[in-house]
Amino acid sequence: MVEVHKVSGSPFDGNVYLILDEVPVLIDAGMDPEPTLRKIKKHIDPADIEMIILTHCHHDHSAGVPLLKEATGAKVLIHENEAGSLGDDMATVAYLFGLSAPEIEADETLKEGDVIDLGEWKLEVMHTPGHSPGGICLYEPRARVLFSGDTVFPQGNIGRTDLFAGKDADLVRSIERLTELEVEVLYPGHMEIVSGDVGRQIQASLRFARSVL
Ligand SMILES: [Zn+2]
Ligand SMILES: [Zn+2]
C-alpha cells in the first residue's frame, strides 16, 4: 500500500510530497528544507529516498534540493527543457523572492511519456508547459492520482503564465490534456490535497483558463 505524505516546510512553500513505495521518492523540494527533512524523518530514513522529482524549476519547488540531496543521496530529475534553468535567477524566478538560485545539477532528465517505476506505482510523465516551459505532471493511472505541480490547483485554480517563459496557449492545452484523465486524488504544487470531485475541479480550471488567457 503506497503512502503519500505532505512534508513541506511552511504553508507558503511549494508542496513537497514523500511517496512511500518500494522506491521512496520526493516530488519537489520546496525552499524550506530543514523542517521538510524533520518531517521526512518521522516516516523514513532520508537515506532511503532514491529520487527527487521536480515538477518544474521554480525556486519555491527547487531551492531545497541542495540540502535534501545531501541528506538523502537521491538523484534529481527534471524535464529536459528545464535542466539548464536550474541555478538561473530569472528562469527559476528566485529574483521574485529576493534570492539567488542555488547551484543544482540534474542527474537525469525527463520527457513526455517516460514512466517512473516506483514498484506498485508507475508515474507517467506528462509534459505540461504553460506555467513554465518544462513543467510536468505525474499521473498514476491505476491509483488515479495526479501530481499537478503548478499547472492546476484545487477549486478551478490555475498556474500563472506571466512568469519567465510562461505561455497562455500552452497552459490551456496542458489543462485540456488533464481533463482527459480520471483523477481521484489531486496533489497540487500549492494549496491542499483534494479527492472526490477532482475531475470537476480540473474542468473548472480549464473553463477559467479559457476565459482569462
Ligand atoms: Zn510554485
Ligand atoms: Zn511555479
Side-chain angles (χ1 to χ4, degrees):
M1 180 71 188
V2 179
E3 290 176 30
V4 181
H5 299 280
K6 189 168 152 183
V7 290
S8 325
S10 82
F12 306 105
D13 205 353
N15 290 338
V16 184
Y17 298 107
L18 170 65
I19 305 180
L20 297 179
D21 199 336
E22 280 169 47
V23 176
V25 299
L26 290 176
I27 308 292
D28 282 335
M31 56 179 174
D32 199 4
E34 278 157 13
T36 294
L37 193 55
R38 282 198 295 277
K39 290 180 187 175
I40 290 169
K41 286 176 180 165
K42 291 180 187 169
H43 303 286
I44 187 174
D45 178 351
D48 292 339
I49 295 173
E50 295 192 21
M51 300 177 215
I52 301 170
I53 305 165
L54 299 175
T55 61
H56 61 304
C57 70
H58 285 168
H59 195 74
D60 51 334
H61 300 259
S62 66
V65 165
L67 188 142
L68 292 175
K69 183 169 180 163
E70 194 187 306
T72 60
K75 57 186 180 181
V76 176
L77 293 79
I78 189 166
H79 189 270
E80 57 189 3
N81 289 6
E82 280 182 26
S85 301
L86 294 166
D88 182 310
D89 294 346
M90 285 298 290
T92 64
V93 302
Y95 74 94
L96 281 181
F97 300 90
L99 297 167
S100 299
E103 284 297 319
I104 300 168
E105 194 85 25
D107 296 292
E108 279 179 29
T109 58
L110 298 167
K111 59 183 188 313
E112 170 73 27
D114 283 350
V115 177
I116 304 169
D117 190 346
L118 304 184
E120 188 176 328
W121 280 11
K122 325 278 179 203
L123 297 175
E124 298 180 356
V125 175
M126 298 176 71
H127 180 211
T128 49
H131 173 68
S132 69
I136 59 167
C137 291
L138 296 163
Y139 181 59
E140 211 303 315
R142 282 200 314 168
R144 296 179 178 173
V145 158
L146 180 69
F147 294 86
S148 64
D150 283 3
T151 298
V152 294
F153 304 113
Q155 284 99 45
N157 287 290
I158 62 174
R160 294 171 62 167
T161 55
D162 60 336
L163 300 172
F164 183 86
K167 279 213 178 80
D168 293 354
D170 284 357
L171 189 72
V172 172
R173 254 195 309 278
S174 292
I175 299 173
E176 279 169 359
R177 292 188 60 208
L178 299 183
T179 63
E180 290 159 17
L181 304 174
E182 286 202 53
V183 183
E184 279 171 18
V185 188
L186 178 71
Y187 294 95
H190 298 273
M191 301 175 67
E192 293 306 313
I193 300 161
V194 287
S195 57
D197 62 347
V198 179
R200 273 184 33 214
Q201 297 190 39
I202 298 173
Q203 288 285 352
S205 293
L206 179 59
R207 280 197 302 279
F208 182 56
R210 282 177 173 156
S211 70
V212 298
L213 298 178

